[in-house]
Amino acid sequence: MQQLYIYYLVFATILLIGAVSTIMVGVSKKNKEGNPSYDSKTKGNWSRLSWIYIVVIVLGYVALVAYIVQSSPGSSG
């Protein structure tokens, strides 16, 4: 059970670093000055970002299911 806490700690750390980094980029002065054509391309930006999130979420669920199946009491290993 101790090993499981390490996974939770690593996951929480990565989540926190990602959230803080995203916020820092969002409020940065360089980002606000940024690329003037960015706002005119919002449909393409949202589309790409949506696909990235879809792929990452699906891969995350696949990894979760693989972990649960591997660590279930009935599995060999």
Side-chain angles (χ1 to χ4, degrees), residues 26-41:
V27 298
S28 71
K29 183 178 179 182
K30 185 175 182 179
N31 185 49
K32 290 181 181 178
E33 293 170 355
N35 183 355
S37 67
Y38 181 83
D39 291 332
S40 66
K41 299 177 182 177

Side-chain angles (χ1 to χ4, degrees), residues 47-57:
S47 176
R48 282 187 296 278
L49 187 59
S50 296
W51 278 111
I52 290 169
Y53 274 107
I54 289 168
V55 168
V56 168
I57 289 170

Side-chain angles (χ1 to χ4, degrees), residues 10-27:
V10 169
F11 178 77
T13 303
I14 292 170
L15 183 69
L16 185 62
I17 290 170
V20 169
S21 300
T22 300
I23 291 169
M24 288 175 58
V25 168
V27 298

